[in-house]
Amino acid sequence: MYRPLFEKGKPGFAGIRTFMHLPHVQELDQVDYAVIGNPFDTGASYAVGTRFGPSAIREMSQRIRPTNPAQGIDTSEYLSGIDYGDLTVFPGYIEQTYEIIQEQLKPIYDKGIVPIILGGDHSISYPHVKAAAEKYGPISLVHFDSHSDAWKHIDEKRKFGHGSMFWHGAMEGWIDTGSSIQMGMRGTSSLTHYDETRELGFELLTTDDVKKLSAVELCSRIKERVADRPVFLTFDIDFLDPVFAPGTGTPEVGGFTTYEALQMIRGLAGIRLVGCDLVEVLPDRDPTRVTALNAAYIAFEFITLLALHRRSALDAAGIKQSAAVQE
């Protein structure tokens, strides 16, 4: 059983910078979730530097404890988690990197472990979600972003990037678009792009659409959409307004507060989460480091969703908490 390593009397800023002080382990037995860095940014179209996102998020996670008072749970009582380290990537070689990422994620998924992946630009969701689909079949995508990332690729020489991976997922069949939902789209996109994305089968909610709903209403809509299917949750940090996430490569004004985002994620308790990633943190554009701080707390909410799901399953089975975790 792996828990965050908070030593009594030792300050939170001391020690090796793993996510939330989780043990850095690559043995996969008795592991429920693994925080994994993916320092790849060759798919970026505007500003690069998200390769440094995983290390920045880990740095800013040092004060996060495993307890979530807002959700009424100590995640470490229900889950065994590790910081798996970073995936091997090949900067400049996107298709080769996709292949090796899928290979590295296969043993994670084969063990039933939920990867929580820290990017990196959003193009890396291509192998993340595809690897999940190899295990679970077509995946329901829950996508928080200011961009749909479902643009058709420009030509065969430039097939992949951080704006096209969900178009590929829809066309290749490993995303079940009929049970997928995208939220927060805004900015100066093509006048027809949102309709084209909906034609792929995605439910797409613009920022204006989302702002008309309460967090409870939005989450109810998401849960109805995905039902009990396997879900991959992907969160682009530019879903937040640039005031809250200046450190990103393609910011769009008029976005969401950190509080709004947390309420939306917390409201997803009960979905069948099989994987997630948090992408597009570009620390060099944010000397305050607030972008990475917000990203770290959002990633912790992913862990909380897993713990709540485990607790509900144990309660349904009549298993007491004390028996849920074996040392």
Side-chain angles (χ1 to χ4, degrees), residues 10-318:
K10 187 175 182 179
F13 54 78
I16 297 172
R17 298 302 196 259
T18 62
F19 186 83
M20 210 172 72
H21 293 276
L22 289 166
H24 174 42
V25 173
Q26 293 194 317
E27 295 294 330
L28 299 178
D29 292 331
Q30 297 184 319
V31 174
D32 298 309
Y33 71 90
V35 177
I36 306 171
N38 189 340
F40 185 79
D41 60 7
T42 297
S45 61
Y46 190 64
V48 296
T50 56
R51 64 184 62 185
F52 301 112
S55 60
I57 296 168
R58 287 183 173 110
E59 171 72 25
M60 299 309 292
S61 75
Q62 298 306 292
R63 291 188 62 251
I64 301 177
R65 299 297 187 266
T67 52
N68 191 328
Q71 296 282 59
I73 194 167
D74 181 340
T75 61
S76 67
E77 292 184 0
Y78 293 92
L79 298 173
S80 173
I82 61 173
D83 188 321
Y84 190 73
D86 286 352
L87 298 173
T88 296
V89 299
F90 303 131
Y93 299 90
I94 194 166
E95 294 185 57
Q96 292 88 340
T97 293
Y98 281 177
E99 292 174 4
I100 196 169
I101 288 173
Q102 282 182 243
E103 292 174 9
Q104 292 170 93
L105 289 178
K106 188 177 188 305
I108 304 287
Y109 280 116
D110 284 347
K111 285 278 190 177
I113 297 167
V114 177
I116 298 174
I117 306 169
L118 310 176
D121 73 61
H122 213 161
S123 72
I124 57 178
S125 287
Y126 180 97
H128 296 172
V129 184
K130 194 171 182 179
E134 288 181 351
K135 169 68 175 180
Y136 296 102
I139 292 294
S140 298
L141 190 73
V142 174
H143 177 199
F144 293 89
D145 202 331
S146 64
H147 311 97
S148 78
D149 296 338
W151 292 86
K152 183 177 180 179
H153 64 267
I154 298 172
D155 56 48
E156 288 302 310
K157 294 181 179 179
R158 292 177 287 176
K159 286 181 63 175
F160 299 108
H162 71 166
S164 63
M165 61 283 179
F166 298 139
W167 182 88
H168 287 287
M171 298 305 293
E172 294 172 20
W174 42 267
I175 293 178
D176 178 5
T177 58
S179 63
S180 296
I181 184 167
Q182 301 180 306
M183 294 147 288
M185 282 77 245
R186 60 186 188 273
T188 54
S189 178
S190 158
L191 293 178
T192 61
H193 177 59
Y194 295 161
D195 289 337
E196 291 164 357
T197 301
R198 293 183 180 110
E199 288 172 4
L200 292 171
F202 290 104
E203 180 172 0
L204 184 150
L205 302 178
T206 66
T207 290
D208 289 338
D209 294 331
V210 175
K211 291 282 188 179
K212 294 173 184 176
L213 302 171
S214 68
V216 172
E217 290 170 332
L218 175 67
C219 292
S220 177
R221 191 161 174 170
I222 295 169
K223 289 178 178 179
E224 183 178 354
R225 182 77 173 174
V226 305
D228 61 351
R229 301 177 184 89
V231 171
F232 192 97
L233 194 164
T234 183
F235 193 104
D236 187 323
I237 203 67
D238 69 29
F239 178 80
L240 302 179
D241 188 89
V243 169
F244 301 92
T248 192
T250 52
E252 301 286 359
V253 302
F256 297 89
T257 69
T258 307
Y259 179 78
E260 288 173 321
L262 292 178
Q263 293 302 107
M264 293 173 194
I265 296 168
R266 289 170 180 168
L268 296 180
I271 65 172
R272 185 186 168 198
L273 197 61
V274 300
C276 32
D277 61 23
L278 192 152
V279 297
E280 298 287 354
V281 172
L282 203 169
D284 288 351
R285 288 199 162 199
D286 180 10
T288 70
R289 301 191 291 178
V290 69
T291 308
L293 176 67
N294 288 334
Y297 274 87
I298 290 167
F300 173 59
E301 293 295 337
F302 297 166
I303 296 170
T304 301
L305 291 179
L306 297 175
L308 290 168
H309 194 276
R310 172 65 58 81
R311 184 172 70 181
S312 294
L314 292 170
D315 288 346

